[in-house]
Amino acid sequence: MSMERVLVIPGSASQIPLIKKLKKDDYEVVCVNPDTEALGIQLADYRVEGDILDKDNCARVGKCYGVKAVISDECDIAMPVVAYLGEKLGLSTLTGKDAELYTDKTKMRSFCQENGFACPEFQACHTVEEAVHFWRAHGFKKMIIKPIDSNSSRGVFTVCSEEELKSKFSESMSFSRKEKIVLCERYIEGVEFTVDGIMTGNKHYSLAISEKKHYQYNPNIACELFFSYKNPIFDYDQLRKINDVYVEKTQLKFGFTHAEYKYENGIYYLIEIGARGGGNFISSHIVPLLTEFDNYEYLIKRSLGKEYRLENINFWPVKERCAVLKFFDVDEEGYVKEIDNLDLLLNNPKVILYEFRFKKGDYISKAENDSKRVGFYIAWEENDEKLRKLMQVIEEKVKIRVR
C-alpha cells in the first residue's frame, strides 16, 4: 500500500519539525516554496518551486500529487491558502471564514466588541487623515499602528505624536496584504502574555502561557517568553478561561492557536490571535515539553480527517516545569568575530534548541522586527528558580563579539 501524501507550505525552517514528524510517521511530504534551497523544503520527498500565496498553483500541486492533507504551522500568511486548498481539494482544514477571522486584525477587534471581550479603542484607517482624526478625537498620548494582516511585527509602530503617526503611516500600510488598511488603536500599557492552545470539537484547551519581555529600544519586539503553569502576580487560570471561551465562540473547526494578550488595570486585552502554533518553535518544542503531549500527532490526524479525542488527556503532568524562549541581542553593531562560551548551549541537556541567524563575518545590528533578531535559545527546568539561574549563566557567559 502506497504511503499517504501530505502537502506542507511553506518550506521554511519553521516547518522542519512538522516535516520530520510526517516522515517519521511514514507519510510522503510534498512541499511548495519559492526557494527550493530552503531548509524545510530540502527535507521533502517532492519539492515544488512556487509562491505559496498563488492559491490556484498550490491547488494544482495538491491535486497532481494526490495529497490527503494540507498543513502549515507557525505561519499566518499560509492559513488563508490552507483554507482555500481544503475547500478546493475536499480536505480537512480550517474554513475560509476561520482564516479571515484569525489573520485580519480588524475582524478580531470587531469580534471582541460583538462578543463582550476587552478591546482597546480602535479604527481601521484607509488614509493618514483618518488616522490623525482618530488620534485627535481620543486625545491619545500613545497609539499603536499596524497592518491588518502582516506577520513578524513588520509595519508595527508605537507612535507618541502626530508627527510620528504621519511619518510611519505609509510604511505600516505597505505591509497590509489583502487590503490597504492600517489598524490604529490605543496603546495598552502593562505586561504582555502569549497563550498557545488546541481546538478540537467544541472545546479549546489553553496549553502554554508565557510572560513576555521586550527590547528596551523597541517595545514591539519580544526578547523573552517565559513559560510557566502559574504566575505569582497574574491569574493564569483567568487568562486560560478567557482564551478558551474566545476560541470556542469563534467556532474554529480544529487546530492550533497562538494568542497575545496585555494586562492593564485588572483586565486581559486580546492583542491578536492566529490559528497556528507560536513561532520560533513554540508549538514544536515548548508545548510538547510542558505538556508531554504530541500535538503534531493530533494536528496530522485531524488534518487527515481522522478522529482524535482530547477529553481524557492530562496536559500538565508536571505543573512546576518551566521553559523559556530567549532571544539574543547585540551590545554593539558590527561584523561578527566570534561567540564566547558556545559550549554552554551545545553541551547543556536543558538547552533543547538554539540558533544564530548569522555567520562569522556578517554585519549584525539591533532588531528592526521579529525576523531581524540575531538568534535565540530554548531551555527548560523543573522549576522557576533553576531555569532563571541557567538563564543568568547564559546571559553572563554567551557573548557575541563584533569588530
Side-chain angles (χ1 to χ4, degrees):
M1 181 178 177
S2 61
M3 291 188 290
E4 292 178 303
R5 292 175 181 169
V6 175
L7 175 61
V8 175
I9 54 174
S12 58
S14 61
Q15 307 302 314
I16 288 176
L18 174 60
I19 294 172
K20 285 183 174 180
K21 172 65 176 175
L22 285 162
K23 291 176 70 68
K24 180 183 177 183
D25 290 350
D26 293 326
Y27 296 99
E28 289 187 325
V29 177
V30 182
C31 195
V32 176
N33 200 70
D35 177 13
T36 55
E37 298 301 315
L39 296 175
I41 197 172
Q42 284 292 307
L43 298 176
D45 299 285
Y46 303 96
R47 307 166 194 170
V48 180
E49 182 178 354
D51 184 354
I52 68 162
L53 300 182
D54 185 343
K55 299 178 181 179
D56 290 325
N57 182 57
C58 289
R60 285 192 292 269
V61 171
K63 186 175 181 180
C64 175
Y65 284 94
V67 300
K68 301 300 182 183
V70 55
I71 313 178
S72 182
D73 187 29
E74 301 190 8
C75 184
D76 273 325
I77 64 172
M79 302 321 294
V81 184
V82 170
Y84 179 84
L85 297 181
E87 181 181 341
K88 286 292 183 180
L89 302 177
L91 303 175
S92 180
T93 65
L94 76 172
T95 67
K97 183 180 178 181
D98 292 335
E100 191 171 38
L101 178 57
Y102 279 85
T103 55
D104 186 325
K105 296 177 179 63
T106 59
K107 291 194 178 338
M108 294 176 205
R109 289 285 172 269
S110 297
F111 187 88
C112 283
Q113 279 189 332
E114 293 163 6
N115 290 276
F117 295 95
C119 180
E121 299 90 336
F122 74 96
Q123 182 172 320
C125 298
H126 296 79
T127 66
V128 68
E129 288 78 16
E130 289 180 351
V132 169
H133 181 267
F134 177 67
W135 169 277
R136 291 175 178 174
H138 288 275
F140 293 136
K141 294 182 179 180
K142 191 184 293 187
M143 189 166 74
I144 286 280
I145 63 172
K146 61 184 74 171
I148 61 169
D149 58 355
S150 71
N151 62 337
S152 298
S153 297
R154 294 180 177 91
V156 179
F157 300 104
T158 302
V159 296
C160 300
S161 66
E162 278 191 30
E163 290 70 26
E164 276 190 291
L165 173 57
K166 292 174 182 177
S167 68
K168 295 296 185 182
F169 187 87
S170 293
E171 184 178 352
S172 182
M173 179 174 282
S174 70
F175 288 99
S176 285
R177 297 184 179 86
K178 182 182 68 174
E179 190 176 356
K180 291 305 177 184
I181 295 176
V182 171
L183 178 64
C184 299
E185 61 186 29
R186 178 175 69 85
Y187 182 85
I188 302 295
E189 301 285 354
V191 179
E192 188 170 348
F193 304 88
T194 68
V195 188
D196 279 74
I198 287 178
M199 181 68 182
T200 183
N202 297 318
K203 187 165 177 57
H204 183 265
Y205 299 86
S206 293
L207 302 182
I209 299 178
S210 82
E211 181 178 343
K212 295 177 73 173
K213 293 182 179 179
H214 300 79
Y215 292 117
Q216 288 189 346
Y217 56 83
N218 192 327
N220 298 316
I221 304 178
C223 64
E224 178 184 309
L225 282 71
F226 193 95
F227 292 84
S228 59
Y229 181 79
K230 58 185 178 180
N231 188 301
I233 300 174
F234 303 98
D235 187 344
Y236 277 5
D237 286 336
Q238 181 189 12
L239 180 53
R240 273 186 278 267
K241 183 176 180 179
I242 292 170
N243 193 56
D244 290 340
V245 172
Y246 179 94
V247 178
E248 288 165 10
K249 284 204 171 202
T250 68
Q251 298 182 333
L252 179 68
K253 187 177 176 183
F254 75 94
F256 294 171
T257 61
H258 175 76
E260 297 175 0
Y261 290 84
K262 290 190 83 172
Y263 186 85
E264 180 189 69
N265 297 327
I267 299 172
Y268 287 106
Y269 289 83
L270 178 69
I271 302 303
E272 61 182 78
I273 184 168
R276 45 83 180 177
N280 294 286
F281 307 100
I282 293 173
S283 57
S284 60
H285 288 65
I286 292 177
V287 171
L289 176 69
L290 295 176
T291 61
E292 298 184 356
F293 169 67
D294 190 343
N295 53 341
Y296 272 171
E297 180 182 0
Y298 156 81
L299 182 63
I300 292 166
K301 286 189 174 181
R302 288 303 310 269
S303 297
L304 287 162
K306 300 175 182 179
E307 287 296 319
Y308 195 110
R309 301 186 67 84
L310 298 177
E311 285 77 0
N312 297 319
I313 293 176
N314 176 17
F315 286 113
W316 301 283
V318 186
K319 291 186 178 182
E320 293 76 22
R321 183 174 295 174
C322 300
V324 68
L325 168 61
K326 181 72 176 181
F327 293 92
F328 295 105
D329 197 12
V330 293
D331 294 329
E332 56 181 329
E333 300 180 0
Y335 295 93
V336 177
K337 292 194 300 182
E338 60 185 351
I339 303 172
D340 291 346
N341 299 306
L342 192 57
D343 60 301
L344 290 176
L345 303 177
L346 182 63
N347 299 323
N348 193 324
K350 298 298 175 127
V351 178
I352 60 173
L353 184 68
Y354 71 89
E355 177 182 305
F356 291 102
R357 295 167 176 166
F358 58 80
K359 60 183 182 298
K360 189 174 181 179
D362 284 351
Y363 187 86
I364 58 173
S365 58
K366 300 288 187 183
E368 298 175 3
N369 56 56
D370 288 355
S371 67
K372 298 296 185 182
R373 290 173 292 199
V374 296
F376 67 88
Y377 70 87
I378 294 174
W380 70 282
E381 264 293 359
E382 293 297 352
N383 59 57
D384 178 299
E385 183 179 0
K386 288 182 179 179
L387 182 54
R388 294 194 185 279
K389 285 181 179 178
L390 172 59
M391 292 168 60
Q392 183 177 356
V393 171
I394 294 173
E395 177 79 16
E396 293 173 354
K397 300 292 185 181
V398 179
K399 298 290 185 181
I400 303 169
R401 302 296 180 186
V402 300
R403 58 179 170 81

